[in-house]
Amino acid sequence: MHRSYMRRALTLAAMGLGRTAPNPAVGAVVVKDTKIIGEGYHSAAGQPHAEVLALQEAGDAARGADIYVTLEPCCHHGRTPPCTEAVVAAGIRRVFYACEDPNPQVAGGGHSALVAAGCEVFQGPLGNSAKQLNRAYFKHKATGLPYVTLKMAMTLDGRVAMADGSSQWITGPEARRAVHEMRSQVQLVMVGVGTVLADDPSLTTRLGEGCHCSGALIVDSSARTPPTAKALSRTRAGSPSHAEGQRADGTECLVACCEGADAGRIEALRQAGAKVLTVPEKDGRVDLGALMRQLGASDVISILCEGGPTLAAALIREALADEVVFFVAPKLLGQGPGPVADLEIGELADAARLEIVETRRVGPDLMIRGRICSQD
C-alpha cells in the first residue's frame, strides 16, 4: 500500500511541473485507516506547499494519520513557513517521503526535525521516480544550470525537413499535442534565430484554458530576429494589452544576443516586447555556456530546445543538453537535413551515447526519450 499512496502523491506532484520553479514539484497525501483523507500539490512558488494543502483538506482527522510526500518536507523559512512545523502541529504519526531534498537548507534537516518532534520518519518508496520527476530541480541545485531537453521530429530515415526546408508536418497531430504537453512542463521553449527566420513559430503552449504556458528563448547572435516575429507578440487579435515585455499569455520572450550586436536592432526588439539578454561571444556566436549560467542564476531550471541541427549540435558538444526526445514518423524522404549537425567526432568510439529511458507510440509515430550519457 505504501507504493500506491506514494504513486498518487507523484501523480499530484506532476500537476505542478513547469509552474513551481525554482521550487520542486511536490505532491502529498494524508492517509488514515487505509483511506486517503487529504491531498495536495505545490502549484507555484510562493503558494502553499503540498503538505500544507493536504493537511488542510484532512482537517482534524489528520491527527494520528500518515503522510506521504514526494520530497523531504522543508524545515526552513522561505516564502512560506516550514512544512515540518505544519506536519507536527497536525499530529501526524508517520511521515514517508520519497527522496531527500538536495537544497542545502533542507538536505536531511527536515527528516531530523520530524524525528526530534516525535514522528516516525521513513525515506521511500519510489525515490528514483521522485528524482526523475524533479530532475531539473536536482540538476539546478547541483550545478546552477538548467536542465535542457532537445526535442526533434524526423522521418524514419532521419530527415527533419525537405531539401527546401519545408517541415510541416513530419509528425501527426498526436505527437504535436505531446510536444505542447512537454512545453507546459518547462519554463522556456528555446530555438535559434534560423528557426525563427525559416518558420516564424509562435513558441506558445496551446493546450486550452488553464494550461501552464512556457516562455520563449531565441538564441540570436546578431539580433536578426524581426520585430514582427510571432514569438515576440505582446497581444493577439481581440486580446487586451499586457505588461511591457509580456506576451498575450503573460509569458516573456527572451532574445539572447552577443554583446557586440547592433544596438539599433536590439532596441527594436525591446520595443517589440522582447527581453534582450546580452551574452559574451564565443567563436562568433552566443556563448551557450555563459547563457545557461545566466539563465540558471535567474532561477530558470528547465528548457525545451526545439531548435535546428546547428543549435542541437552545439548544446551536445558543450555538454549542456541532458536528454533528447525524438518523435519518429513512419515516413521516408531520402533527402533533407538530419536532426543534429556536425558533432566534430573523429572516431566511432567517441560518439555521443544515450541511455534510452522511454519508448512509446504516439498516434502513428514513435517517441524515443534518452538521457545523454556523461562523456567523462
Side-chain angles (χ1 to χ4, degrees):
M1 293 297 288
H2 294 308
R3 294 176 68 86
S4 65
Y5 297 139
M6 191 65 79
R7 196 171 291 114
R8 174 57 183 166
L10 285 167
T11 298
L12 291 167
M15 296 170 67
L17 282 174
R19 304 168 183 261
T20 62
N23 293 349
V26 180
V29 297
V30 180
V31 178
K32 193 170 190 179
D33 299 329
T34 72
K35 293 183 180 179
I36 294 177
I37 60 172
E39 58 184 34
Y41 71 94
H42 186 41
S43 62
Q47 295 300 307
H49 288 190
E51 299 95 316
V52 172
L53 293 172
L55 291 168
Q56 286 177 351
E57 186 173 284
D60 292 340
R63 188 159 300 278
D66 299 335
I67 189 168
Y68 292 78
V69 191
T70 57
L71 193 69
E72 178 186 8
C74 65
C75 55
H76 65 289
H77 284 270
R79 298 186 190 181
T80 58
C83 289
T84 51
E85 293 182 1
V87 169
V88 171
I92 289 292
R93 181 171 65 96
R94 298 191 301 179
V95 178
F96 298 84
Y97 65 92
C99 61
E100 184 175 284
D101 190 337
N103 184 344
Q105 294 180 293
V106 186
H111 184 122
S112 298
L114 290 167
V115 169
C119 295
E120 295 181 58
V121 185
F122 305 89
Q123 184 173 340
L126 302 181
N128 288 336
S129 297
K131 288 180 181 178
Q132 177 66 11
L133 179 78
N134 273 310
R135 55 193 180 275
Y137 173 74
F138 274 77
K139 180 188 177 181
H140 187 254
K141 283 300 178 189
T143 68
L145 300 175
Y147 191 96
V148 178
T149 299
L150 304 181
K151 188 280 299 182
M152 305 168 193
M154 65 181 190
T155 60
L156 192 58
D157 59 343
R159 314 291 179 171
V160 298
M162 296 285 290
D164 64 2
S166 57
S167 61
Q168 295 184 341
W169 296 101
I170 285 179
T171 54
E174 297 90 346
R176 296 198 293 276
R177 178 175 177 81
V179 171
H180 282 280
E181 291 172 352
M182 292 172 64
R183 289 183 180 184
S184 74
Q185 295 181 345
V186 300
Q187 288 168 271
L188 294 175
V189 177
M190 176 185 189
V191 298
V193 67
T195 297
V196 173
L197 295 174
D199 300 333
D200 193 20
S202 298
L203 302 179
T204 54
T205 306
R206 298 185 290 279
L207 290 175
E209 292 294 327
C211 78
H212 167 69
C213 297
S214 51
L217 169 64
I218 301 171
V219 180
D220 182 2
S221 302
S222 53
R224 292 187 295 146
T225 299
T228 56
K230 292 178 182 176
L232 304 184
S233 177
R234 288 200 299 260
T235 59
R236 297 175 185 161
S239 299
S241 61
H242 286 71
E244 181 69 22
Q246 287 190 342
R247 303 190 292 175
D249 57 12
T251 64
E252 292 182 323
C253 180
L254 313 180
V255 181
C257 303
C258 288
E259 292 171 342
D262 182 84
R265 291 204 293 265
I266 286 178
E267 180 58 27
L269 290 174
R270 288 189 172 124
Q271 290 296 320
K275 179 179 179 180
V276 178
L277 308 177
T278 54
V279 184
E281 181 181 310
K282 182 179 180 181
D283 299 326
R285 299 178 182 272
V286 165
D287 184 335
L288 292 175
L291 173 60
M292 291 302 158
R293 289 189 293 273
Q294 184 173 338
L295 291 170
S298 299
D299 288 336
V300 173
I301 70 172
S302 58
I303 296 174
L304 177 65
C305 179
E306 299 186 27
T310 300
L311 182 56
L315 289 166
I316 294 172
R317 281 198 309 269
E318 298 188 33
L320 297 170
D322 297 282
E323 68 176 58
V324 298
V325 177
F326 284 90
F327 290 90
V328 184
K331 301 174 182 177
L332 302 173
L333 286 180
Q335 60 171 320
V340 182
D342 185 8
L343 291 177
E344 301 176 3
I345 293 172
E347 299 182 13
L348 185 58
D350 297 328
R353 299 183 182 275
L354 305 178
E355 176 193 359
I356 303 301
V357 295
E358 182 183 6
T359 59
R360 61 183 171 92
R361 289 285 297 272
V362 183
D365 306 314
L366 177 65
M367 188 276 281
I368 304 172
R369 183 166 69 89
R371 282 193 290 267
I372 300 176
C373 300
S374 172
Q375 299 299 307
D376 296 340

